Structures are given as structure tokens and as C-alpha cells.
Amino acid sequence: MRKDSIFRIYSMTKAITAVAVMTLHEEGRFILLDPISNYLPEFSEMKKCAVEKTDPVTGRRTGYTVPAEPAITILTLLRPPSGLTYGALMPHDEKGG
């Protein structure tokens, strides 16, 4: 193997990111319970899926969103089920539309 060999890491990004985050935490740069919106303002108005229903006729799943409470913290993102999705699983808006 060469020094500049490239490896595919696939699902290991969370573990590598967690090591970097914990290194910064040990340096005292933040507290794990800090809301992530302190560092990424785009996360200040997060929403979560509230109710999901299945239409008995079509079998289609529907739902709506509500404000996420409590705020998402750095610690939340270090856990395996952080709750963030890529959009395909998200319902429509607050009115269910």
C-alpha cells in the first residue's frame, strides 16, 4: 500500500466527524448541549413531522410539520438517530398540504 492510497469510507463519515467534534469540545470551543443554531443559523427554525396518517384508500402516507422542541443540540447530531432526513421522507407544510 502506498502513502497516498485512497479508500472509500462510505458510512464512516459520522464517526470521523464525531472525533473532530469531540476534539474541538476538549479544546473548550463549545458545550455539547449548545443549540446548533448558535453556529449554523439556518437551523434556528427547525420543524419536525408531527402526525403521519395513512390514507385507507390509496395507502399514501401524509403528515404535517410543527416547530422542533427542544432545540437540536450538538449532542443530538452525534447520536445515530439524529432525526435529520434528506427530504424524501418529509411531509408537506403545517396545514398538511
Side-chain angles (χ1 to χ4, degrees):
M1 175 175 44
R2 298 182 354 207
K3 273 180 90 172
D4 62 347
S5 294
I6 298 175
F7 296 89
R8 293 180 188 258
I9 58 173
Y10 296 106
S11 299
M12 293 301 298
T13 55
K14 191 166 219 162
I16 292 168
T17 302
V19 169
V21 167
M22 293 309 294
T23 300
L24 293 171
H25 173 66
E26 287 178 347
E27 293 174 0
R29 304 229 184 160
F30 57 82
I31 297 170
L32 290 174
L33 296 177
D34 283 348
I36 60 169
S37 59
N38 290 0
Y39 307 96
L40 301 168
E42 298 82 2
F43 283 85
S44 63
E45 296 181 23
M46 293 301 295
K47 297 182 182 285
K48 65 179 180 178
C49 183
V51 174
E52 193 171 299
K53 299 177 183 176
T54 303
D55 185 312
V57 176
T58 65
R60 183 175 177 197
R61 294 166 48 170
T62 60
Y64 62 95
T65 59
V66 296
E69 293 289 334
I72 300 171
T73 66
I74 295 170
L75 181 61
T76 304
L77 295 181
L78 291 175
R79 295 181 174 146
S82 67
L84 296 180
T85 181
Y86 296 101
L89 302 176
M90 290 303 296
H92 305 286
D93 59 21
E94 291 85 355
K95 298 175 181 74

